[in-house]
Amino acid sequence: MERGPAIFAAAVFLLFGTALLVWTGARAWHRAPVAEGVRPVVAVPLAVLAGAGSLALGVWCLRHI
């Protein structure tokens, strides 16, 4: 019974984390702002940290199936 929700949660975390890292990388590559009104020195590491954390949660969910 718990496999379905765990797989769904893992897929959501992995897709979100991947999309956030790709989007952040593309914005940083083009020197575009990552977050409106926030310095890139602060915004890029926080976005990368959030993306990596999401990927880690997705892997954690998959490991506990």
Side-chain angles (χ1 to χ4, degrees), residues 9-64:
V12 169
F13 281 127
L14 292 172
L15 285 172
F16 176 75
T18 302
L20 183 60
L21 289 175
V22 168
W23 181 81
T24 302
R27 298 293 287 182
W29 180 265
H30 294 294
R31 304 267 188 230
V34 174
E36 197 66 37
V38 181
R39 293 180 297 148
V41 174
V42 176
V44 172
L46 286 177
V48 169
L49 183 64
S54 182
L55 288 177
L57 282 172
V59 170
W60 181 80
C61 286
L62 286 177
R63 291 187 73 212
H64 282 81

